Structure formats: structure tokens, C-alpha cells
Amino acid sequence: MQRDLGSFPLPPALRARLVAAGFQTAQELLETGPCGLSKEIGISKEEALEALQVVRQECHNDAARTAGGSGATRKCTALELLEEEQAQGFIITFCSALDNILGGGVQLTKITEICGAPGVGKTQLCMQLAVDVQIPECFGGIAGEAVFIDTEGSFMVDRVVDIATACVQHCQLIAEAHQEEDHLKALETFSLESILSHIYYFRCRDYIELLAQVYLLPDFLSEHSKVRLVVVDGIAFPFRHDFEDLSLRTRLLNGLAQQLIIIANDHRAAVVLTNQMTTRIGQRQSTLVPALGESWGHAATVRLIFHWDNSQRLATLYKSPSQKESTIPYHITSQGFRDVQPPAVTQNADGTEMNPRKRLRREEET
């Protein structure tokens, strides 16, 4: 962080402005932030963000080289990678069908993107995950904490209270059924108040605030080492207006994706993004596709698409490196994100099963 600014790959004119303003080291520059830097040296906020992005990336590369000794890249075997992959935990969703198609839940160190139309349940799943990440290990959780970055104002704390209350009650039922000492001990600290106090909420109202928050996030995560989930709800909203320079938007999005990948890997966290849908007009028909273009589609490791089939919500695993494409139904209930329950099966007087959707056929009198 004490590296001289003259050694960074910045444009000469920008470097001259920084030196004239009294900036000498990377640390001084990063502590200023994009808005302060913009005012300090008389450049646009976009240019300030790009400059900070370059400096932070260079500092991260320096740290990686220092940690890895003389070699700039990490060397390991495929077997070691497999063992690391198998050791990574999952965040359950409380929808077993969704957990199954994901291979166990939302995986740590990976970026998962949830795409869908408004009202289909993207934010509901994000709030569910912010609660579920805190489930104690003895109940099958990972006992982590959550960061929730909200760009649309969709975060509803009353709804989180409902989901958290249902989660605590679920764990209490498990503890009562098993009567194990570690379950009872964990419930002493796993409460509604505890859950709410370990969801760190940030409200970003434009893309500049979002980029600044994401680039400052590693420092926050270093101070809060238990964070295992970072939610950005939603990623597209700040970038879909007020952008005349699309090439600049692409560069900023690519830098944002790279930073999120670094966060996921360095802090062993699951990064979950929500994305809107947009209409792609073809020659004969139009289709709904995730927003931000095809190049953004490479940013996420896993992509889920939520959609409707009449009144039924469906989740399709559209992209995954290890799981096949699948579609499952799900429900949004008062308790949170849940499986679709099969219809109840009743029995006739003779003990045979009766389908409630079929009418009883009366026997004809002979």
C-alpha cells in the first residue's frame, strides 16, 4: 500500500494531476475514495473510479506475489483443487429441490446470479440466504454472517424478521427432537436479535456508490471475518440508465466482476447477485434474456433463471460447471423460500388411496 504512484500504469496526465495534488502513495489515494478524488484533482467520478480500480488491482497483485514468494501464480495439483472444492460449504435455501439441483445449496467461493422478472422471488431468496448463512454448524449450517448491498430499495426488514423467526423455530424443533447438548447450547445465541445484528446492510443509490462500496468491501470483510455471504440486489439497476458511453459501462462492469471474484476467493464467501430481464428482439420473435448483455453472462459461475408457468414459480439452473440443467417449482410462503408441497392424499373407507382431484364415480344400480 506504500507503493509510489509513479509506478502504477496510469495515464501520464492523470499521474501528473495526482502528484500536483500531493498524492504520493497508493494508500493515500485509496483512502480518498472516488468522490473525494474527483473533487480533489478535477476529474469526473467515472475517471476517478477507473483510476482507483487500477490501483487497487495492482495492490492486490502485489499482495498475491508477496504471499506466494517468488512465483506470481499459485501452483497446485488437480487433486488439491478437488479436495478444496469438496471442503467448501454450502448455504441451504430451505427449498430442498433447489438445493439438490445446485449440488447442495449456494456454494462458497462462487458467484451465483439469480435472474428473473419483478415479483418472481429473487429478493426473497436473497433474504432467505442472509438468514440461512447464520445457521449453527451443529444444525448443518456454516455459522457465518451476511453483507446485503441493496441498489433497488427492495430489502424489507419486516420480511427478514418473518424468515428469521421461522428459521429459529425450525432449529428449536430439531433440538427438541434430538435433545443433544450442542443443539441446546447453540440455540442460546441463535436468536432473532442475533440474526438481524449479523446482516450488514448497505444502500447504494447509483453505480458510483455501488462500485465504491464493492471496492471498499475487502477492508470491511477483513474486520468481519465471519462473513460468508455477499448479496448485491440488484446488479443491473444502476447500470441501465444515465450511460451514454457503453464502452465505459462494459469496462466498469468487467472491473466489478473481477473484484467480486477476488472477494469470493479471498474471503471464502458466496457472492449472490440478482439481475433483471430484458427483451431481445429477433427476426421472427422476441425473447426474455438476462440484462447487461452476453459478456456479463461470463461473470457468474452459476446462473439461475426464475420464471412463471401460469401461477407457478419455477427455477431453472441455466449455467453450472458441475450440475446439469434442471427446472424445479418453488413457493414463497409466510415463512420464506420453500418447496412446493404435493397435494394431500386421502383414503377411502376401504383403505385405498383417493386422488382429491378426481370425482368419485357412483356405482350404477342394477
Side-chain angles (χ1 to χ4, degrees), residues 205-218:
R205 290 171 175 79
D206 55 41
Y207 74 92
I208 294 175
E209 289 186 3
L210 173 60
L211 290 168
Q213 184 58 58
V214 170
Y215 280 103
L216 292 173
L217 202 54

Side-chain angles (χ1 to χ4, degrees), residues 187-203:
L187 285 175
E188 294 176 3
T189 55
F190 187 62
S191 62
L192 173 61
E193 292 76 13
S194 173
I195 291 173
L196 295 179
S197 63
H198 293 113
I199 299 176
Y200 305 105
Y201 176 79
F202 300 90
R203 178 73 168 96

